[in-house]
Amino acid sequence: MNTGSDDAGGGAVVSDGAKGETGTGRAGGSDGAGEAAKAGDAGEAPERQGLGSRAPEFVRSRRVLHLSWQVGVFVVGLAVVGAGVVMLPLPGPGWVVIFGGMAIWATEFVWAQLVLRWTKRKVTEAAQRALDPEVRRRNIALTVIGLVIAGILLGFYVSEYGFTTPWNIRGR
């Protein structure tokens, strides 16, 4: 059962016993509690806050309308993710569009909300590791070594062939 939040701007959450319920009788992994909880309850784990459908209350209160809403959100999200996948090898912001499609899915589906939280956590961890002074020194050293090697190779090429492009070199 979906319950709305009484707080202004609060998102709806799905009870532990009915995660992902769409009126089809399916329920996701229950931990046995089965009680609906509002976002921000003191006993609620931080990962569980704000999960669930963000559809308007009049949509969530009608089973067929809510299922139609979820299908629409899924189709729109799928189209955006598909466009992002097409943009990966082609010009365009492929990953940004894919994460945009995931954000669309996250407005309705708990699994997408959890995937986005996991992704945000991993990106934050990677950014923190990249800002570590030891890692930065290593990366700078590797970059300098790579540039020196590229400079040596370029110098060798110019000394052998001059400023001629590789496709214009004849018979050497």
Side-chain angles (χ1 to χ4, degrees):
M1 166 176 166
N2 291 335
T3 59
S5 174
D6 292 337
D7 301 48
V13 295
V14 177
S15 70
D16 289 335
K19 289 180 211 146
E21 185 175 324
T22 61
T24 61
R26 294 179 301 145
S30 173
D31 64 357
E35 292 184 12
K38 287 194 278 184
D41 280 353
E44 192 174 354
E47 292 98 31
R48 308 300 297 165
Q49 293 180 354
L51 294 178
S53 176
R54 289 177 177 79
E57 180 60 38
F58 76 92
V59 172
R60 283 184 281 131
S61 65
R62 292 163 181 84
R63 179 178 278 180
V64 174
L65 187 56
H66 192 218
L67 184 60
S68 301
W69 179 276
Q70 287 180 324
V71 168
V73 167
F74 183 79
V75 168
V76 170
L78 185 64
V80 173
V81 168
V85 169
V86 168
M87 287 183 201
L88 288 175
L90 299 175
W95 284 110
V96 173
V97 174
I98 288 172
F99 288 123
M102 288 297 295
I104 290 171
W105 279 338
T107 63
E108 193 59 35
F109 302 107
V110 173
W111 61 267
Q113 293 166 1
L114 295 176
V115 167
L116 280 180
R117 285 183 182 182
W118 178 84
T119 304
K120 287 178 186 176
R121 189 170 55 248
K122 292 299 180 183
V123 166
T124 302
E125 290 172 7
Q128 291 302 318
R129 280 194 310 268
L131 294 176
D132 180 28
E134 186 176 316
V135 174
R136 290 185 74 201
R137 280 191 296 273
R138 184 196 68 206
N139 290 344
I140 290 171
L142 288 173
T143 302
V144 167
I145 290 170
L147 289 174
V148 167
I149 291 171
I152 290 171
L153 291 174
L154 182 64
F156 174 74
Y157 178 83
V158 169
S159 70
E160 281 291 317
Y161 303 108
F163 290 103
T164 306
T165 55
W167 49 87
N168 288 333
I169 296 175
R170 306 250 192 269
R172 285 197 186 201

Coordinates of all heavy atoms in Angstrom, one line a residue, residues 101-136:
G101 N 17.3 9.4 -18.0 CA 16.3 8.4 -18.1 C 16.1 7.6 -16.8 O 15.0 7.3 -16.4
M102 N 17.2 7.3 -16.2 CA 17.2 6.6 -14.9 C 16.4 7.5 -13.8 O 15.7 7.0 -13.0 CB 18.6 6.2 -14.4 CG 19.2 5.1 -15.1 SD 18.3 3.6 -14.9 CE 18.5 3.3 -13.2
A103 N 16.7 8.8 -13.9 CA 16.0 9.7 -13.0 C 14.5 9.8 -13.3 O 13.7 9.9 -12.3 CB 16.6 11.1 -13.1
I104 N 14.1 9.6 -14.5 CA 12.7 9.6 -14.9 C 12.1 8.3 -14.3 O 11.0 8.4 -13.6 CB 12.5 9.6 -16.4 CG1 12.9 11.0 -16.9 CG2 11.1 9.3 -16.8 CD1 12.9 11.1 -18.4
W105 N 12.8 7.2 -14.4 CA 12.3 5.9 -13.8 C 12.2 6.0 -12.3 O 11.4 5.5 -11.7 CB 13.2 4.8 -14.2 CG 12.9 4.2 -15.6 CD1 11.8 4.3 -16.3 CD2 13.8 3.5 -16.4 NE1 11.9 3.7 -17.5 CE2 13.2 3.1 -17.6 CE3 15.1 3.0 -16.2 CZ2 13.7 2.4 -18.6 CZ3 15.7 2.3 -17.2 CH2 15.0 2.0 -18.4
A106 N 13.2 6.8 -11.7 CA 13.3 6.9 -10.3 C 12.1 7.6 -9.7 O 11.8 7.6 -8.5 CB 14.6 7.5 -9.8
T107 N 11.4 8.4 -10.5 CA 10.2 9.1 -10.0 C 9.1 8.1 -9.6 O 8.1 8.4 -8.9 CB 9.6 10.1 -11.0 OG1 9.2 9.4 -12.2 CG2 10.7 11.2 -11.3
E108 N 9.2 6.9 -10.1 CA 8.1 5.9 -9.9 C 8.5 4.5 -9.4 O 7.8 3.9 -8.7 CB 7.3 5.7 -11.3 CG 6.0 5.0 -11.1 CD 5.1 5.7 -10.2 OE1 5.0 6.9 -10.2 OE2 4.3 5.0 -9.5
F109 N 9.8 4.1 -9.7 CA 10.2 2.8 -9.3 C 11.3 2.8 -8.3 O 12.3 3.5 -8.4 CB 10.7 2.1 -10.6 CG 9.6 2.0 -11.7 CD1 9.7 2.8 -12.8 CD2 8.5 1.2 -11.6 CE1 8.8 2.8 -13.8 CE2 7.6 1.1 -12.5 CZ 7.7 1.9 -13.7
V110 N 11.1 2.0 -7.3 CA 12.1 1.9 -6.2 C 13.4 1.4 -6.7 O 14.5 1.8 -6.3 CB 11.5 1.0 -5.0 CG1 12.6 0.8 -4.0 CG2 10.3 1.6 -4.4
W111 N 13.4 0.4 -7.6 CA 14.7 -0.2 -8.1 C 15.5 0.9 -8.7 O 16.8 0.9 -8.6 CB 14.5 -1.4 -9.0 CG 13.7 -1.0 -10.2 CD1 12.3 -1.2 -10.4 CD2 14.2 -0.5 -11.5 NE1 12.0 -0.7 -11.7 CE2 13.1 -0.4 -12.4 CE3 15.5 -0.2 -11.9 CZ2 13.3 0.1 -13.7 CZ3 15.6 0.3 -13.2 CH2 14.5 0.4 -14.1
A112 N 14.9 1.8 -9.5 CA 15.7 2.9 -10.1 C 16.2 3.9 -9.1 O 17.3 4.4 -9.2 CB 14.8 3.6 -11.2
Q113 N 15.4 4.1 -8.0 CA 15.9 5.0 -7.0 C 17.1 4.4 -6.3 O 18.1 5.1 -6.0 CB 14.8 5.2 -6.0 CG 13.6 6.0 -6.5 CD 12.4 6.0 -5.6 OE1 12.4 5.3 -4.6 NE2 11.3 6.6 -6.1
L114 N 17.1 3.1 -6.1 CA 18.2 2.5 -5.4 C 19.4 2.4 -6.3 O 20.6 2.6 -5.9 CB 17.8 1.0 -5.0 CG 16.8 1.0 -3.9 CD1 16.4 -0.5 -3.6 CD2 17.2 1.7 -2.6
V115 N 19.3 2.2 -7.6 CA 20.4 2.3 -8.6 C 21.0 3.7 -8.6 O 22.2 3.8 -8.6 CB 19.9 1.8 -10.0 CG1 21.0 2.2 -11.0 CG2 19.6 0.4 -10.0
L116 N 20.2 4.7 -8.6 CA 20.7 6.1 -8.7 C 21.4 6.4 -7.4 O 22.5 7.1 -7.4 CB 19.6 7.1 -8.9 CG 19.1 7.2 -10.3 CD1 18.0 8.3 -10.4 CD2 20.3 7.7 -11.2
R117 N 20.9 6.0 -6.2 CA 21.6 6.2 -5.0 C 23.0 5.5 -5.0 O 24.0 6.1 -4.5 CB 20.8 5.7 -3.8 CG 19.6 6.6 -3.5 CD 18.9 6.2 -2.3 NE 17.8 7.0 -2.0 CZ 17.0 6.9 -1.0 NH1 17.1 5.9 -0.1 NH2 16.0 7.8 -0.8
W118 N 23.0 4.3 -5.5 CA 24.3 3.5 -5.5 C 25.2 4.2 -6.4 O 26.4 4.4 -6.1 CB 24.0 2.1 -6.0 CG 25.2 1.3 -6.1 CD1 25.9 0.6 -5.1 CD2 26.0 1.1 -7.3 NE1 27.0 0.0 -5.7 CE2 27.1 0.3 -7.0 CE3 25.9 1.5 -8.6 CZ2 28.1 -0.1 -7.9 CZ3 26.9 1.2 -9.5 CH2 27.9 0.3 -9.2
T119 N 24.8 4.7 -7.6 CA 25.6 5.4 -8.6 C 26.2 6.7 -8.0 O 27.4 7.0 -8.1 CB 24.8 5.7 -9.8 OG1 24.3 4.4 -10.4 CG2 25.7 6.3 -10.9
K120 N 25.3 7.5 -7.3 CA 25.7 8.7 -6.7 C 26.8 8.4 -5.6 O 27.8 9.2 -5.5 CB 24.6 9.5 -6.1 CG 23.6 10.1 -7.1 CD 22.5 10.8 -6.4 CE 21.5 11.3 -7.3 NZ 20.3 11.9 -6.7
R121 N 26.6 7.4 -4.8 CA 27.5 7.0 -3.8 C 28.9 6.7 -4.4 O 30.0 7.1 -4.0 CB 27.0 5.9 -2.9 CG 27.8 5.6 -1.7 CD 27.1 4.6 -0.8 NE 26.8 3.4 -1.4 CZ 25.5 3.0 -1.6 NH1 24.5 3.7 -1.3 NH2 25.3 1.8 -2.2
K122 N 28.9 5.9 -5.5 CA 30.1 5.4 -6.1 C 30.9 6.6 -6.8 O 32.1 6.7 -6.7 CB 29.9 4.3 -7.2 CG 29.4 3.0 -6.5 CD 30.5 2.5 -5.6 CE 30.1 1.2 -5.0 NZ 31.1 0.7 -4.1
V123 N 30.1 7.5 -7.4 CA 30.7 8.7 -8.0 C 31.3 9.6 -7.0 O 32.5 10.1 -7.2 CB 29.7 9.5 -8.9 CG1 30.2 10.8 -9.3 CG2 29.3 8.7 -10.1
T124 N 30.7 9.8 -5.8 CA 31.2 10.6 -4.8 C 32.5 9.9 -4.2 O 33.5 10.6 -3.9 CB 30.2 10.7 -3.6 OG1 29.0 11.3 -4.2 CG2 30.7 11.6 -2.5
E125 N 32.5 8.6 -4.0 CA 33.7 7.9 -3.5 C 34.8 8.1 -4.5 O 36.0 8.3 -4.1 CB 33.4 6.5 -3.3 CG 32.5 6.2 -2.1 CD 32.0 4.7 -2.1 OE1 32.5 3.9 -2.9 OE2 31.2 4.4 -1.2
A126 N 34.6 8.0 -5.8 CA 35.6 8.1 -6.8 C 36.2 9.5 -6.8 O 37.4 9.7 -7.0 CB 35.1 7.8 -8.2
A127 N 35.3 10.5 -6.7 CA 35.7 11.9 -6.6 C 36.6 12.2 -5.4 O 37.6 12.8 -5.5 CB 34.5 12.9 -6.6
Q128 N 36.2 11.6 -4.3 CA 37.0 11.7 -3.0 C 38.4 11.0 -3.2 O 39.4 11.6 -2.8 CB 36.3 11.1 -1.8 CG 35.1 11.9 -1.4 CD 35.4 13.4 -1.1 OE1 36.4 13.7 -0.4 NE2 34.6 14.3 -1.5
R129 N 38.4 9.9 -3.9 CA 39.7 9.2 -4.1 C 40.6 10.0 -5.0 O 41.8 10.1 -4.9 CB 39.5 7.8 -4.7 CG 39.1 6.8 -3.7 CD 39.2 5.4 -4.2 NE 38.5 5.2 -5.5 CZ 37.3 4.8 -5.6 NH1 36.6 4.5 -4.6 NH2 36.8 4.6 -6.8
A130 N 40.0 10.6 -6.1 CA 40.7 11.4 -7.0 C 41.3 12.7 -6.4 O 42.4 13.2 -6.8 CB 39.9 11.8 -8.2
L131 N 40.7 13.2 -5.3 CA 41.2 14.4 -4.6 C 42.2 14.0 -3.6 O 42.8 14.9 -3.0 CB 40.0 15.1 -4.0 CG 39.0 15.7 -5.0 CD1 37.9 16.4 -4.3 CD2 39.7 16.7 -5.9
D132 N 42.5 12.7 -3.3 CA 43.5 12.3 -2.3 C 44.8 12.8 -2.8 O 45.2 12.5 -4.0 CB 43.4 10.8 -2.2 CG 44.4 10.3 -1.2 OD1 44.8 11.0 -0.3 OD2 44.9 9.1 -1.4
P133 N 45.6 13.5 -2.0 CA 46.9 14.0 -2.4 C 47.9 13.0 -3.0 O 48.5 13.2 -4.0 CB 47.5 14.7 -1.2 CG 46.3 15.0 -0.3 CD 45.3 13.9 -0.6
E134 N 47.9 11.8 -2.4 CA 48.8 10.8 -2.9 C 48.4 10.3 -4.3 O 49.2 10.1 -5.2 CB 48.8 9.6 -1.9 CG 49.7 8.5 -2.3 CD 49.7 7.4 -1.3 OE1 49.7 7.7 -0.1 OE2 49.8 6.2 -1.7
V135 N 47.1 10.1 -4.5 CA 46.6 9.7 -5.8 C 46.8 10.8 -6.9 O 47.2 10.6 -8.0 CB 45.1 9.4 -5.8 CG1 44.5 9.1 -7.1 CG2 44.9 8.2 -4.8
R136 N 46.6 12.1 -6.5 CA 46.9 13.2 -7.4 C 48.3 13.3 -7.8 O 48.6 13.5 -9.0 CB 46.5 14.5 -6.7 CG 44.9 14.6 -6.6 CD 44.5 16.0 -6.1 NE 44.7 16.9 -7.2 CZ 44.8 18.2 -7.0 NH1 44.8 18.7 -5.8 NH2 44.9 19.0 -8.0

